[in-house]
Amino acid sequence: MERAPFLSDEWFGLNLEAASGWPERPGVDCSANFEVTGAPGGKIRYHAVICDGRLVEMASGKLAEVDVSIVYKYADARAEVASGEHPDLAYMSGRMKLEGDYARWVYGLRPVLDSAEYDVFRSALAEHTDF
């Protein structure tokens, strides 16, 4: 797995590669727009789509309709990825803001976010991201 600069198009591809081993989990679906404020060069917007428990899309730009919108400050997003921290910690501490169907993210993605495969994914991102 190649290294990639944080929040770059290559990094979005790294996410897809790192998630390629996630097993199918029928009905575990969520689409999200992310906004990272205070990033070098300005605000960064990207999106991710999880379908049947698999990360099927992640790229720069916003989708017109999503289940949830997620906002981070750059330092908080960076710290979460660099440490391999579970996203629940950022949400519970107020470092991640959710708008829209937050229950779909917080509860609906439990089979993914609490899995051993997601732990491996978070570790791979931390190891292969250049900050």
Side-chain angles (χ1 to χ4, degrees):
M1 187 177 301
E2 300 274 330
R3 297 185 63 81
F6 184 49
L7 298 176
S8 66
D9 287 336
E10 295 83 11
W11 187 75
F12 301 138
L14 176 67
N15 277 261
L16 290 166
E17 182 181 353
S20 64
W22 292 2
E24 184 175 355
R25 292 179 168 94
V28 178
D29 305 313
C30 187
S31 58
N33 281 330
F34 292 81
E35 182 175 291
V36 179
T37 63
K43 190 181 301 182
I44 296 174
R45 291 184 174 113
Y46 64 98
H47 65 274
V49 177
I50 295 173
C51 184
D52 289 331
R54 293 185 172 157
L55 182 62
V56 296
E57 184 178 338
M58 188 168 192
S60 60
K62 292 174 61 173
L63 295 175
E65 292 186 32
V66 293
D67 298 312
V68 66
S69 294
I70 300 171
V71 179
Y72 280 101
K73 292 179 183 171
Y74 177 78
D76 294 332
R78 181 181 180 208
E80 180 182 316
V81 173
S83 69
E85 173 181 288
H86 195 287
D88 283 356
L89 296 175
Y91 175 67
M92 290 185 291
S93 67
R95 292 176 285 140
M96 171 202 295
K97 307 291 185 209
L98 299 176
E99 296 177 3
D101 188 358
Y102 77 92
R104 183 170 295 223
W105 179 271
V106 174
Y107 304 112
L109 289 181
R110 282 294 119 217
V112 172
L113 298 179
D114 291 343
S115 70
E117 295 86 10
Y118 195 74
D119 290 343
V120 170
F121 168 80
R122 289 192 336 258
S123 294
L125 282 184
E127 182 180 338
H128 292 93
T129 299
D130 290 328
F131 297 99

